[in-house]
Amino acid sequence: MKKRWYDYLWIVELIYMALGFFNILFAWLGMLFFCIPLIISLVWGTKGYCNRYCGRGQLFGLLGGRFGLSRKKDIPSWMKSKAFRYGFLVFFFVMFFQMLWNTYLVFAGVQNLRQAVTLLWTLKLPWHWAYHGTLFHPGVAQFAFGFYSVMLTSTILGLITMVLFKPRSWCVYCPMGTMTQLICKAKSPKGNIVTE
Amino acid sequence: METKTRAKRNAFIDAGACVACGCCVKVCPLGAISVFRGVAARVDASRCVGCGKCAKECPASVIEIREVQV
């Protein structure tokens, strides 16, 4: 099959993850990975982002597929259940708002900037080498640290399930995927009734 | 000469469990699958030859290859 330009977006994902090791402020670019899928689903009512442009999905597909870093086993049924998918979405939201709250506290001057990346919501990794001061308020940097933590954590979870199950297992419980599918369901005239 | 007729096979999607990621669309050599309105994948039965590539690729394993009566 002919490759299109968007089949190479995994390179963008790799560059994004790498940039966070050099200057944490690049983490802000990750807002694109949040906004574009939402805009596509809200405006066109499709999962065009997942289907075509998701660099992360492509990266997992490549590593697990061509590089063979996946057992290619079926994902356990509880992981594809609606309860787990929606539960993970809610959990993700809670963690995201907690991150926004921490950012707010730095903006408000209540809390000092913490130059750490939090892995899997608990492990605090020192990350000071990626921050060299900025013209902006420290809160801008705090958001970058928090946002990069979200991206790195989800990448690691995705890599683990890629190895254990199918390459793109992350897509099953990806909060963005679940959210855009819910938007599409709400926008679809027939609701969630799909006939084969 | 005796001719053997092989039952036609088709991909069937458990639409309720589909996450609409589109992995199946990418691997289908015949362009027989599409993601309908971002809700779930759909198979065009007239184009599907039941090769099973989509079923193998599907991260949620919600595609099944079954024989169909023609």
Side-chain angles (χ1 to χ4, degrees), chain A residues 74-85 165 172, chain B residues 17 60-61:
Chain A
D74 287 349
I75 198 166
S77 52
W78 62 267
M79 275 187 94
K80 57 183 174 186
S81 68
K82 290 220 162 46
F84 179 73
R85 290 180 62 210
F165 314 116
V172 176
Chain B
S61 305

Side-chain angles (χ1 to χ4, degrees), chain A residues 144-165:
Chain A
F145 279 110
F147 200 80
Y148 193 73
S149 304
V150 170
M151 298 307 263
L152 197 63
T153 297
S154 50
T155 304
I156 287 169
L157 286 179
L159 284 172
I160 294 171
T161 51
M162 172 194 83
V163 172
L164 291 176
F165 314 116

Side-chain angles (χ1 to χ4, degrees), chain A residues 3-167:
Chain A
K3 289 250 194 244
R4 306 286 193 112
W5 64 270
Y6 50 73
D7 289 317
Y8 297 95
L9 288 172
W10 57 271
I11 300 170
V12 176
E13 174 72 17
L14 267 185
I15 293 172
Y16 174 77
M17 294 317 292
L19 285 174
F21 280 82
F22 297 101
N23 192 324
I24 199 67
L25 294 174
F26 282 116
W28 274 88
L29 290 173
M31 288 300 283
L32 290 172
F33 306 146
F34 271 49
C35 296
I36 295 170
L38 288 177
I39 291 168
I40 291 178
S41 62
L42 285 169
V43 176
W44 291 283
T46 70
K47 294 235 309 172
Y49 189 82
C50 300
N51 301 166
R52 281 190 174 169
Y53 311 114
C54 180
R56 168 179 304 223
Q58 291 172 13
L59 188 64
F60 291 146
L62 206 64
L63 292 176
R66 188 167 301 179
F67 290 88
L69 300 172
S70 172
R71 297 195 309 153
K72 294 183 182 157
K73 300 278 184 203
D74 287 349
I75 198 166
S77 52
W78 62 267
M79 275 187 94
K80 57 183 174 186
S81 68
K82 290 220 162 46
F84 179 73
R85 290 180 62 210
Y86 295 154
F88 191 71
L89 176 65
V90 171
F91 172 71
F92 206 82
F93 259 116
V94 171
M95 289 299 160
F96 196 81
F97 281 108
Q98 195 196 23
M99 183 273 280
L100 290 180
W101 177 247
N102 280 328
T103 304
Y104 164 75
L105 289 178
V106 174
F107 267 113
V110 182
Q111 204 170 277
N112 289 324
L113 173 66
R114 287 160 84 171
Q115 297 180 40
V117 162
T118 314
L119 214 56
L120 299 162
W121 307 284
T122 42
L123 295 166
K124 294 227 188 303
L125 304 180
W127 213 267
H128 51 271
W129 67 80
Y131 184 64
H132 324 283
T134 167
L135 292 171
F136 306 107
H137 194 278
V140 173
Q142 190 64 74
F143 177 81
F145 279 110
F147 200 80
Y148 193 73
S149 304
V150 170
M151 298 307 263
L152 197 63
T153 297
S154 50
T155 304
I156 287 169
L157 286 179
L159 284 172
I160 294 171
T161 51
M162 172 194 83
V163 172
L164 291 176
F165 314 116
K166 299 233 183 141

Side-chain angles (χ1 to χ4, degrees), chain A residues 1 45-47 50-52 58 74-75 80 82 85 166 168-169 171-172 181 184-185 188-190 192 194-196, chain B residues 12-13 15-16 18-23 26-29 35 37-40 42 55-61:
Chain A
M1 259 162 281
T46 70
K47 294 235 309 172
C50 300
N51 301 166
R52 281 190 174 169
Q58 291 172 13
D74 287 349
I75 198 166
K80 57 183 174 186
K82 290 220 162 46
R85 290 180 62 210
K166 299 233 183 141
R168 285 182 64 160
S169 295
C171 301
V172 176
Q181 192 185 23
C184 290
K185 274 185 183 173
S188 176
K190 276 188 276 178
N192 38 23
V194 178
T195 49
E196 265 185 36
Chain B
F12 289 90
I13 293 167
C18 175
V19 298
C21 61
C23 297
K26 279 191 184 174
V27 292
C28 180
V35 174
R37 290 185 199 273
V39 177
R42 239 185 193 185
K56 230 176 149 185
E57 193 74 12
C58 177
S61 305

